[in-house]
Amino acid sequence: MTVAEERQVEATEDIYSENGMKLVAKGYAINRSMRERLIEHKLIKPLEDCMAVSDGVTGKRCAEMAERMLDTYPALRAVCLSEKRASPIKLIADSTFAGRLQTLLTVYTEHQAGKLDHAVCVALLALSLMQRMMPGENDAIGVMLVAALAHDVGELYIDPRYLEKDAQLGPKEWRHIAAHPVIAHGLLKDLAGMAKPASALILDHHERLDGFGYPQGRRMGEVSDSAQILAVAEMLGGMLDKGGGALQQADVAVKLIHGEFSRPVIDVVSKTFRECREADAAAEGEALKDALIMSRELGGRLDRILSVQAEFKPMFDRASAPFKSLWVHALERSESIRRAWSSTGLDVQPDGAWLQNESPAMQREVAAILREINWRLRELDRELHARVIRHAGGDLPLLERYLKEVRATAGAIEGAAVS
C-alpha cells in the first residue's frame, strides 16, 4: 500500500462487508487511513483485489503503446495484423487489470525506463503466435496476455545495475538475474483470475526441453507449449531493436539446438517467418559484413575450445560424479553448437569468401546462424558455471580454471581478428 502514499488508489468495484453492507463505492479514492479502517472489517472479497492505481497500467494504455510499436517495427506489424485472426491490440485494449495484479504491473513498468515497451512488445508477439498455434483457445490466450505483460515482474527485486543494457554480469550477478522467474511466480501464484495459471508460464519461460534452461532445468514433457511460446516471444522482442532479420534470427534460434523446443513451437515460428519474410528482411550488405567478421572469429574460437577441453579432460575425469554428469550434458550442447557451425560450410572455408557469390537470403541466414552460435557459446559457459555451483560446488575451482582459459582464448582470437 506504499504506492498509495505517492499515487492515487481507488476502488475498482463496490466494496462490501461480509454481512452485505456497502462500505466503499466504485471509483472512490482509498488512502492509507481508509485502508486501515477497511481491513478491520470482514470483506466479501480481499481488499487488495478491489483496488487499483488510478493512473496505472490499463488495457487502453497498453494498446496505445502497442499501436506505436507497430508503427515503429514493420516486422512486428506483419506478425500481428491479419484478417484471419482477432487483432492482438483489441485483445489488449479490452483487458482489465485490477487489484494486486494492476498495482504490480504499474510498479514494475515504472521502476525502470522501457519496461512497459518491452512487456507490450512481448505481449503482441506472444498473442500472435498463440493465435497461430492454438486458434480459438480464448482462455489460453487470456492467460498468455497476463503472462507476457508480467513475465519480468520478478526484476523488481533485482539490483537495477544488473539490468542495464551493457552490464557486465559475472556468476554472482547472473544468479540474481536467473531468479526472476521464481520471484515473479511467487508474486502472482496466489492472485485471482488469470494470474495463477499465468504464473506457471512465467516460471517456465526460461526453461528448455533439453534440460539446459533455468531456474529448474526442466526437460521434455515438463514445459508446456504455451511457456515455450512466451520464451520465443521474449527472445524475438529482444531482437527487434537490433535491426532487420529478427524473425529469421528467432527461426534459427529455435532450431539450432536439437530438442530445445517442441515441434509445434518450431513449426509456428518457421511458418510466421515465411509469412513475414519480406517485412523482416535485413540490409543485404550488413548481413554479408556481419557473416564474414563472425566467421573469422568463430572458426578459431571453436577449434581452440576443443583443444582446451582436451587439455582439461584428465582432470575432469577425476572430478565428482555430479560434475561429470553436468560436463557430459555441456559437451552434448557444445557438439550441437559445433554441428550448427558445420551446417554453414564455414568450417571448410572459414574466411567466408564463398558467401560473396551467394544470394542475399543465404547471406542473411548464415549471419543469423553465426550470431546465434556466438550467443550460445557465452550462454553455455554461464549456465554451466551456475549448475556447478548448485550441484558440484567442490569442483568449482576446476571449472573456473577451465572457463578462464576459454575466455583467454576468445580474447586472443578476437584481438587477432581486429588487428
Side-chain angles (χ1 to χ4, degrees), residues 240-268:
L240 284 173
D241 274 333
K242 298 176 182 177
L247 281 171
Q248 183 167 34
Q249 190 72 37
D251 187 41
V252 167
V254 299
K255 296 175 181 174
L256 191 79
I257 305 294
H258 177 71
E260 197 176 31
F261 290 92
S262 70
R263 175 49 57 185
V265 171
I266 292 172
D267 287 346
V268 77

Side-chain angles (χ1 to χ4, degrees), residues 48-64:
E48 290 81 359
D49 293 337
C50 303
M51 303 185 303
V53 180
S54 58
D55 57 346
V57 171
T58 62
K60 180 181 178 182
R61 182 180 169 192
C62 291
E64 290 170 352

Side-chain angles (χ1 to χ4, degrees), residues 65-312:
M65 173 68 72
E67 290 278 13
R68 290 195 292 272
M69 300 196 83
L70 294 190
D71 290 339
T72 303
Y73 301 108
L76 185 61
R77 174 173 288 275
V79 170
C80 294
L81 299 187
S82 168
E83 296 179 358
K84 301 177 183 178
R85 294 179 292 273
S87 166
I89 291 182
K90 186 176 188 309
L91 293 174
I92 292 172
D94 291 344
S95 58
T96 301
F97 312 116
R100 286 173 285 185
L101 175 61
Q102 191 259 9
T103 301
L104 188 60
L105 286 172
T106 300
V107 174
Y108 160 66
T109 56
E110 294 184 359
H111 93 287
Q112 197 171 20
K115 292 301 180 185
L116 183 59
D117 308 53
H118 175 68
V120 170
C121 181
V122 173
L124 283 169
L125 291 163
L127 291 175
S128 299
L129 293 172
M130 280 289 286
Q131 286 177 316
R132 285 173 165 86
M133 190 169 71
M134 302 180 185
E137 296 287 340
N138 294 334
D139 286 347
I141 290 171
V143 170
M144 179 60 76
L145 172 57
V146 174
L149 289 173
H151 71 279
D152 277 342
V153 295
E155 291 180 355
L156 279 168
Y157 294 84
I158 295 173
D159 190 326
R161 293 175 301 170
Y162 300 164
L163 304 173
E164 293 174 0
K165 189 172 183 180
D166 298 321
Q168 298 296 312
L169 300 177
K172 178 183 176 183
E173 293 80 10
W174 178 247
R175 287 200 298 277
H176 285 274
I177 295 290
H180 78 271
V182 177
I183 297 170
H185 177 258
L187 292 170
L188 269 69
K189 66 182 178 64
D190 295 323
L191 303 189
M194 300 289 191
K196 183 173 183 178
S199 71
L201 303 190
I202 293 171
L203 180 62
D204 288 347
H205 80 282
H206 282 291
E207 300 288 357
R208 299 296 181 261
L209 302 189
D210 64 348
F212 221 82
Y214 66 87
Q216 300 179 85
R218 296 186 189 276
R219 288 181 174 269
M220 180 79 71
E222 299 176 321
V223 185
S224 69
D225 284 346
S226 294
Q228 294 175 66
I229 286 293
L230 180 56
V232 172
E234 183 178 39
M235 180 194 308
L236 183 49
M239 294 170 180
L240 284 173
D241 274 333
K242 298 176 182 177
L247 281 171
Q248 183 167 34
Q249 190 72 37
D251 187 41
V252 167
V254 299
K255 296 175 181 174
L256 191 79
I257 305 294
H258 177 71
E260 197 176 31
F261 290 92
S262 70
R263 175 49 57 185
V265 171
I266 292 172
D267 287 346
V268 77
V269 173
S270 295
K271 182 180 179 183
T272 302
F273 168 54
R274 290 194 299 271
E275 290 175 358
C276 308
R277 188 189 301 267
E278 185 174 341
D280 185 57
E284 296 172 7
E286 288 301 310
L288 178 59
K289 179 182 175 182
D290 288 349
L292 293 176
I293 291 173
M294 283 186 288
S295 70
R296 287 192 292 270
E297 295 175 358
L298 279 174
R301 185 179 178 191
L302 286 164
D303 287 343
R304 184 70 180 119
I305 285 174
L306 275 182
S307 177
V308 175
Q309 289 174 350
E311 291 174 17
F312 276 76

